[in-house]
Amino acid sequence: SPAESFTERQPSSRPSVQSSTMAKTAFALALCLGSAAAFVSNAPIRSGVVSMKETKEDLAELASELNPVIGFWDPLGCLNFDFWGLGNEGTIGYLRHSEIKHGRIAMAGFLGYLVQSTDFVSGPHKLLPFKGYTPGLTPPEQWDAIPLVGKLQIFTLIGMLESYGEILDPHYTAGGLPGYFPPIAGKRPELVFNLYDPFGFFKDDSEEKKARGRQVEINNGRLAMFGILGFLSEATTPGSVPALKGLIPAYSGNCMIPFEGDFSIFT
């Protein structure tokens, strides 16, 4: 059964040398994230514009600003689509917003993988972080070890943030700023801080600085997507990423089935 296979693949311990090597290599790779900012062009950045009624021509200009080497690249012609009757510009807003969100998730996942590979997280603890915790697990195995109720709480929080992120005026498919997440502090008693800039560090930044920051974020998000997929590919198929061969511990589970160790719809 899925539960039995999950129990069988949990290792009782991991050599500290392997954990140390993994952590050092991972942190070195993390430094590459900063290099993505170097691809942002020094050309003047459009600032002071909140309404983003973007066309393919606008995206071609943005692509040159993001990465002058590659420039505009749309091999599948996605920018010609019309999703759900939104129109071409609405579809472009949707695709841009989706890419930015995926980039943010990838950055969180990439950095999370690094942190969870350190002894500080995966090592023995006097106080167990959660019921059923086992030291020495790799990041994917740590997820498997979380009880089902804990996983459901995480997905519930994600759903809450997703719903709050859609309450926009204007919406990103109707001229709003792609990637914008509205203030949520005070929406519910437990929401004390905003998700973005909870301590107000960037509230006084100029529009030009904010615009450049959004460009750097897109580049870093794209690089992080490659990074986290590289980690997961090497973990599930050892040797598939030559640069990471022998550095990422193998994982016998399925990263595409988050509840594999809890239940199965098809059995």
Side-chain angles (χ1 to χ4, degrees):
S1 65
E4 291 174 342
S5 62
F6 160 66
T7 303
E8 292 174 356
R9 70 167 177 266
Q10 287 194 37
S12 58
S13 63
R14 291 216 175 253
S16 59
V17 174
Q18 185 184 47
S19 176
S20 177
T21 302
M22 165 67 179
K24 291 178 181 178
T25 304
F27 277 114
L29 290 172
L31 297 178
C32 295
L33 283 174
S35 66
F39 284 99
V40 177
S41 170
N42 290 322
I45 297 174
R46 295 167 291 174
S47 61
V49 179
V50 175
S51 181
M52 304 292 287
K53 285 280 186 180
E54 290 183 305
T55 63
K56 291 178 64 176
E57 291 72 23
D58 295 321
L59 284 192
E61 180 183 348
L62 176 64
S64 297
E65 294 174 357
L66 290 173
N67 192 324
V69 177
I70 297 178
F72 182 72
W73 191 64
D74 181 25
L76 299 180
C78 294
L79 300 185
N80 297 318
F81 295 165
D82 180 0
F83 291 170
W84 309 295
L86 293 173
N88 184 244
E89 291 182 354
T91 300
I92 290 176
Y94 172 84
L95 292 173
R96 281 211 60 208
H97 189 81
S98 179
E99 180 195 23
I100 293 170
K101 286 206 303 184
H102 279 82
R104 290 169 180 169
I105 295 169
M107 286 188 279
F110 183 86
L111 294 176
Y113 204 106
L114 306 186
V115 173
Q116 290 173 239
S117 299
T118 65
D119 291 335
F120 179 76
V121 176
S122 65
H125 296 277
K126 292 182 180 180
L127 298 176
L128 296 183
F130 53 83
K131 183 179 179 181
Y133 173 83
T134 303
L137 300 181
T138 65
E141 291 167 345
Q142 291 171 28
W143 167 261
D144 288 339
I146 297 175
L148 177 60
V149 64
K151 295 176 182 175
L152 294 178
Q153 290 176 23
I154 293 173
F155 273 84
T156 299
L157 175 61
I158 293 173
M160 289 173 58
L161 295 177
E162 282 287 302
S163 64
Y164 291 141
E166 291 296 317
I167 305 175
L168 301 170
D169 185 21
H171 196 266
Y172 52 83
T173 61
L177 181 66
Y180 175 73
F181 194 90
I184 59 174
K187 297 288 185 181
R188 289 182 55 86
E190 65 271 18
L191 298 176
V192 181
F193 299 105
N194 289 319
L195 184 63
Y196 170 72
D197 196 18
F199 305 109
F201 292 150
F202 310 115
K203 64 180 181 180
D204 296 326
D205 286 353
S206 66
E207 288 300 322
E208 184 175 86
K209 186 175 182 180
K210 291 178 180 178
R212 179 174 176 80
R214 289 193 291 268
Q215 291 186 358
V216 171
E217 178 189 36
I218 293 173
N219 277 342
N220 285 341
R222 290 173 177 175
L223 186 59
M225 284 188 267
F226 280 107
I228 188 61
L229 287 175
F231 283 171
L232 296 178
S233 297
E234 179 61 26
T236 55
T237 310
S240 60
V241 184
L244 298 176
K245 186 176 181 179
L247 300 176
I248 307 297
Y251 173 60
S252 60
N254 191 329
C255 296
M256 302 303 293
I257 308 179
F259 298 102
E260 181 183 14
D262 303 295
F263 62 85
S264 176
I265 298 176
F266 303 104
T267 58

